[in-house]
Amino acid sequence: ESVVTATVQSRRGREQSADADLDGSKATLPPAVMAMPYIGSKISLISKAEIRYEGILYTIDMAAATVALSDVRSFGTEDRPAAAPVAPSAEVFRYIIFRGSDIKDLHVLTEAPQAAPAPPADPAIMSTGMGPPPSGPASTPASGPAPAAGAPQVPGQV
């Protein structure tokens, strides 16, 4: 049985842990963790081959017993004893999907950035955005490049 413990230092300074049984037999993560609050967090993962990886948590598939990281870098076996030492790599992989049963350790290094607050459920709201509100004609996109000086005006063009 392969149980991985994810540890995160919360924003309040409290350390929280959650165990995940990634052999596919059962999920032992608490419901709050199963809701994936760590998606988008920076993760450090050590495989059973003693190779350390860092990347952004993309997904945990409990049914397939896999963990997917994006923007992944391999730090090799570092000083850990291993049957076959592996050097670090400067290569950044777009993504790597790890078999849960081959993960020795997994830690959350940095929590995911918090999402912007959701507006109230109001049918009058068509869209939202953060930052200053658009104002006047300057905020509307241009219809194309301005005609060159002395060029004839096309009807309907300003």
Side-chain angles (χ1 to χ4, degrees):
E1 185 168 286
S2 175
V3 176
V4 174
T5 300
T7 305
V8 62
Q9 187 80 21
S10 74
R11 294 191 199 291
R12 295 183 189 104
R14 238 178 346 166
E15 195 169 272
Q16 302 168 331
S17 295
D19 292 332
D21 176 356
L22 294 175
D23 278 345
S25 55
K26 64 178 181 170
T28 56
L29 289 170
V33 174
M34 298 229 1
M36 304 294 182
Y38 300 116
I39 298 296
S41 298
K42 186 171 185 177
I43 301 292
S44 175
L45 181 150
I46 299 176
S47 69
K48 285 189 175 177
E50 299 295 342
I51 301 169
R52 182 170 68 92
Y53 301 89
E54 282 187 8
I56 305 300
L57 181 60
Y58 183 74
T59 189
I60 299 173
D61 185 335
M62 297 303 280
T66 59
V67 173
L69 301 182
S70 64
D71 301 321
V72 187
R73 183 160 173 239
S74 169
F75 290 86
T77 51
E78 298 170 312
D79 293 331
R80 287 177 296 281
V86 174
S89 172
E91 193 95 27
V92 176
F93 297 91
R94 192 167 144 215
Y95 68 92
I96 297 178
I97 300 173
F98 297 91
R99 185 184 351 262
S101 59
D102 290 327
I103 296 172
K104 178 180 174 183
D105 189 37
L106 181 140
H107 290 283
V108 176
L109 299 174
T110 309
E111 288 184 65
Q114 289 191 348
D122 184 345
I125 298 174
M126 291 180 57
S127 67
T128 62
M130 299 303 285
S135 61
S139 67
T140 57
S143 59
Q153 288 284 335
V154 177
Q157 189 178 35
V158 181

